[in-house]
Amino acid sequence: MLKIQGLECGYGRMRVIEGVNLEVGAESVGLFGPNGAGKTTLIGAVMGINKPWGGSIEFDGKRIENTDTHFMARMGVALVPQERELFPGMSVDDNLMLGAAYIPHARDKSDEQLEKVFSLFPILRERRKQLAGTMSGGQQRMVAIARALMSNPKLLILDEPSLGLQPSIVAEVFEVLKELKKTVSILVTEQNVRESLRSIDRGYVLENGKIVIEDSAEGLKTNPYVLKSYLGL
Amino acid sequence: MTVNRKAVPWIILGAAAVVAILAWKPTVLIYGVQRAGLYASVAIPMALVLGIVHIVNLAHGEIMMVSAYLTYNIARSIGLDPWLALLPVALVMGIMGYFIFQLTIRHTLKAPELNQLILTFGIAITMTQAISLIFTPQTRKLPLSYVSMSATIGETSFGVYDFVYVAIALLMGFGIKWFLSNTRMGKAAVAVGQNPRGAAIVGIDVMKTYVFIFTVSVILVGMTGSVFMTRQSIFPYVGSPYTMKSFSLVAMAGIGSISGIIYSSLLLGIAEAAINGIRGASGWSGIVFFLIIIIVIAVRAYKGRKL
Ligand SMILES: Nc1ncnc2c1ncn2[C@@H]1O[C@H](COP(=O)(O)OP(=O)(O)OP(=O)(O)O)[C@@H](O)[C@H]1O
Ligand SMILES: [Mg+2]
C-alpha cells in the first residue's frame, strides 16, 4: 500500500528526515517519537505538503514523491492533521460533506458515509449545525477524523489524534481506529504510546529523523528501550 | 422571509431617510442609487477576490481602467459599439488576469500579505504609466448619443442610462452568491478562503481555485470598465480612486459579504448624492465617503463583531 524508502526531507538547509524506510500494508501502523523527531514532516512528505529531498515513496505501486496534496487525497489518502485544519466558518455538516465532495470515489456515496461517521461519533450528529470554529478542541479533532473518513480512504493517516482529548475520549478514538483497521490501512503518530499500542499491529520509533526501532505491537510492549522511554516503566 | 429584529430600527430609519430625501430633492435618490450601482459593480469583483479567497489586489481599479481603454480603442478603430466590444474585451481581460496571476500573484500566496500589497501596487503603477505612455494622459470620451437618455416623472427629469450600473451590480451580486453556494468551484473557493491547507487535504485543487477566482474578478471588473467608458471620460488615473473605494467598501460590508457591498454602496451613493445636492457643498463628498466608512468600521469594531 504505502512504501517509503531512503526518504530524506527537511526545511531550508536543515535535514529533518534522514534515510527513513517505512511500510504500511493492510494493517494499522504506529509512528512514535519525541517532539521534533520529524513525524509530522514525514507525513507531510507522503501527503505532498512538503517536497522530499531524496528517496522514494510508493502508494498503490505508483511513485508519488512530487504529487500535489489534492491528488493524494483523490488517490485515497486521507489525513487528520495535527492542527486539524477544519473550515471554521462552516457547520459540522458542511465540513463533513467537503470531505467527500472532491473525491471521485466518495462523492456519490456521501450520504451513506455520513451515516457511518455519525454512528462512530454520535456527538457530531447532535452538533451538525454548529460552526466548526466554535467547537471545543476535542470536538474539532473528532470532526477532523470524521471528515477524513468521509473520503472513504484506502489509507488513513492520523497525526497525533489523541492530542488534547480527555482520557475517556482517547480510549474511544482508539476503539474506533481498531474497528476501522478492518477496512482501511492506518498510519498513526502518537505521544500516547500506551493507548495506541492497543490498536496497532506494528510500530516504528523515530528519533532525530531516523527509525531506531521497528517491531510488532507485542515486540514494542516488551522492548526495554520503549518501556523506559515511552511507557515510563 | 424572516426579518432580524435588530434590523427593524434600521429599516425604519432608512425608510424615513428615503421619504425625507424624496420630499427634499427626488433626484438625489435617483442619482444616489445610480452612483451606488457604479460603486457596487466595481467593488463586487473585489469582494470576490479579497473577501472570499483573500487575495489583496491594489490594481483593481487600474484593471478597470485598462479595460476601459481597450474598449475605447476597439470602438474608435473599428467603430464597434462599446457594448458589443464588451465580450471580446472580457476575453482579453481574462487572458490578462490569468497571466497576472501566474506570473506574479501566485508567488506571493504563501508570503506575508504585505508582499501582495506591494506587488499589486506595483502592477497598478505599471498599468497607469504604460497607458499614459501609449495613449498620453489626455482625457478621452466616446460620443454616444444613448447615454444621455432621460425620463421625466412629474416635474423632475433625470438621466436614466446610469441605471445600467444598478443592473450590472445586481446581476453580479446575485450571480456570485449563486455561484458560491451552488457550484463545485464556488464551494471550493469558500473552502480555500477559510483554510487553504484544509482545502488541499480534502482534494481541492487550491491553485486552480485561486487562478479561477482571480481571473473571474478581472473579467468582471473589466466588464464594468467597458461600460464605465461609455458614460465617463477616461484618463490613465481614472481607475485609482476606485481601487481605494472598493477596498473600503469591502471592509465596510464585512469581509466575505456580497450583499453587504450592495447595502454599503447604497448608503454611500445616496450620501454622496445628497452632499452634491447641497449648493456649494459638493467638494465635501469625497470626505463624507471616507468619513462614513470610518464610522461604520469603528462602530462595528466597537461592537466586537467580526469584520
Ligand atoms: N515549516 C517548518 N520550517 C522549519 N522547520 C520546521 C518546520 N516544521 C517543522 N520544522 C522542524 O522540523 C523538526 C521536526 O518537526 P516535526 O513537526 O516533523 O516534528 P514532530 O515529530 O511532528 O513533533 P511533535 O511531536 O511535536 O508534533 C523540528 O525540529 C521542527 O522545528
Ligand atoms: Mg507533529
Side-chain angles (χ1 to χ4, degrees):
Chain A
M1 171 94 20
L2 180 72
K3 189 170 184 186
I4 301 175
Q5 279 180 312
L7 184 70
E8 306 273 327
C9 199
Y11 303 96
R13 293 169 61 197
M14 185 180 69
R15 186 183 305 268
V16 173
I17 298 294
E18 303 181 27
V20 163
N21 299 321
L22 183 148
E23 267 185 65
V24 183
E27 58 184 336
S28 176
V29 171
L31 179 62
F32 308 113
N35 294 125
K39 303 181 295 294
T40 300
T41 307
L42 177 74
I43 284 171
V46 173
M47 207 54 203
I49 292 168
N50 36 47
K51 302 293 169 221
W53 293 0
S56 71
I57 309 176
E58 266 178 42
F59 176 69
D60 258 0
K62 284 189 276 291
R63 293 284 291 262
I64 51 145
E65 292 92 67
N66 285 303
T67 309
D68 286 337
T69 307
H70 64 275
F71 282 124
M72 292 309 301
R74 292 176 191 181
M75 282 171 77
V77 185
L79 173 66
V80 181
Q82 191 168 345
E83 305 299 335
R84 305 183 298 252
E85 310 290 8
L86 298 178
F87 305 110
M90 295 186 201
S91 67
V92 169
D93 254 355
D94 287 346
N95 268 276
L96 296 183
M97 290 316 262
L98 275 170
Y102 295 86
I103 309 294
H105 62 263
R107 194 153 55 214
D108 303 328
K109 292 180 220 132
S110 54
D111 290 334
E112 297 165 39
Q113 199 66 15
L114 192 66
E115 279 310 308
K116 273 193 214 163
V117 163
F118 279 152
S119 60
L120 286 174
F121 299 104
I123 171 98
L124 298 186
R125 192 198 296 276
E126 292 162 32
R127 301 297 180 92
R128 9 188 347 166
K129 297 286 169 247
Q130 188 174 345
L131 296 187
T134 66
M135 300 185 92
S136 79
Q139 291 170 335
Q140 290 192 22
R141 197 161 295 283
M142 289 185 225
V143 177
I145 297 173
R147 182 181 70 180
L149 291 175
M150 285 298 292
S151 70
N152 201 359
K154 294 180 197 156
L155 172 63
L156 176 64
I157 304 181
L158 304 104
D159 199 356
E160 315 228 358
S162 74
L163 200 71
L165 294 183
Q166 74 196 49
S168 64
I169 305 280
V170 171
E172 215 173 287
V173 165
F174 284 108
E175 259 334 288
V176 169
L177 291 186
K178 212 167 170 177
E179 187 61 32
L180 284 171
K181 79 176 183 192
K182 293 174 191 160
T183 51
V184 45
S185 300
I186 294 176
L187 174 62
V188 53
T189 80
E190 256 311 324
Q191 301 285 349
N192 193 333
V193 179
R194 190 186 310 275
E195 281 293 339
S196 54
L197 276 176
R198 287 189 203 152
S199 84
I200 62 165
D201 302 313
R202 276 186 326 113
Y204 296 80
V205 177
L206 183 72
E207 287 184 2
N208 291 318
K210 296 194 187 78
I211 300 288
V212 292
I213 299 172
E214 174 191 347
D215 209 337
S216 66
E218 289 311 309
L220 289 173
K221 271 180 215 160
T222 52
N223 185 309
Y225 182 74
V226 173
L227 283 173
K228 182 161 156 290
S229 309
Y230 293 93
L231 297 172
L233 296 175
Chain B
M1 205 179 82
T2 54
V3 176
N4 187 338
R5 276 197 133 181
K6 278 195 196 137
V8 171
W10 293 104
I11 293 172
I12 295 172
L13 200 67
V18 168
V19 171
I21 292 171
L22 277 176
W24 169 48
K25 267 191 183 178
T27 49
V28 162
L29 195 66
I30 291 163
Y31 293 138
V33 169
Q34 293 176 343
R35 191 172 280 257
L38 171 60
Y39 289 155
S41 44
V42 187
I44 287 172
M46 186 185 267
L48 178 64
V49 80
L50 175 62
I52 305 299
V53 296
H54 311 306
I55 296 177
V56 181
N57 179 12
L58 287 190
H60 189 74
E62 285 75 5
I63 291 172
M64 172 177 96
M65 176 277 294
V66 168
S67 177
Y69 267 85
L70 203 60
T71 316
Y72 174 85
N73 284 292
I74 290 180
R76 275 301 295 271
S77 57
I78 58 173
L80 201 62
D81 185 274
W83 281 95
L84 294 175
L86 193 139
L87 282 182
V89 169
L91 184 70
V92 175
M93 294 310 290
I95 296 169
M96 192 181 92
Y98 176 83
F99 281 106
I100 292 178
F101 184 91
Q102 295 289 11
L103 297 175
T104 65
I105 292 173
R106 182 185 185 119
H107 307 285
T108 65
L109 288 174
K110 288 199 175 129
E113 254 150 38
L114 188 60
N115 295 33
Q116 252 171 46
L117 220 74
I118 295 168
L119 172 79
T120 54
F121 189 56
I123 295 174
I125 294 173
T126 311
M127 283 178 166
T128 12
Q129 294 307 319
I131 294 289
S132 241
L133 278 176
I134 303 170
F135 299 108
T136 77
Q138 192 200 328
T139 309
R140 315 217 168 221
K141 175 93 177 67
L142 212 59
L144 293 165
S145 54
Y146 54 74
V147 301
S148 44
M149 274 189 294
S150 68
T152 309
I153 298 176
E155 311 205 324
T156 36
S157 50
F158 50 90
V160 291
Y161 181 74
D162 284 13
F163 278 118
V164 296
Y165 293 127
V166 178
I168 292 173
L170 290 176
L171 258 171
M172 274 187 195
F174 285 107
I176 288 175
K177 281 193 89 147
W178 181 87
F179 162 78
L180 291 175
S181 46
N182 292 294
T183 66
R184 284 173 64 70
M185 182 54 92
K187 289 180 193 169
V190 176
V192 168
Q194 289 196 10
N195 185 349
R197 286 182 303 272
I201 289 169
V202 298
I204 292 171
D205 188 339
V206 174
M207 203 46 83
K208 190 172 107 187
T209 309
Y210 279 128
V211 180
F212 184 88
I213 296 294
F214 185 81
T215 306
V216 165
S217 90
V218 168
I219 291 174
L220 291 180
V221 77
M223 286 176 147
T224 302
S226 297
V227 177
F228 181 80
M229 91 22 82
T230 61
R231 187 73 178 87
Q232 266 84 355
S233 304
I234 56 170
F235 48 96
Y237 284 98
V238 73
S240 315
Y242 288 93
T243 300
M244 204 54 223
K245 288 189 170 177
S246 304
F247 203 79
S248 310
L249 276 167
V250 174
M252 183 173 166
I255 297 290
S257 166
I258 304 282
S259 351
I261 299 279
I262 296 192
Y263 302 135
S264 311
S265 302
L266 269 177
L267 177 62
L268 291 171
I270 294 173
E272 266 193 29
I275 302 285
N276 286 337
I278 302 169
R279 195 159 307 162
S282 64
W284 286 84
S285 65
I287 297 173
V288 168
F289 184 99
F290 289 108
L291 207 62
I292 292 179
I293 284 175
I294 291 168
I295 292 171
V296 169
I297 294 176
V299 166
R300 174 119 40 83
Y302 179 73
K303 278 187 179 168
R305 261 205 258 156
K306 209 173 75 178
L307 264 188

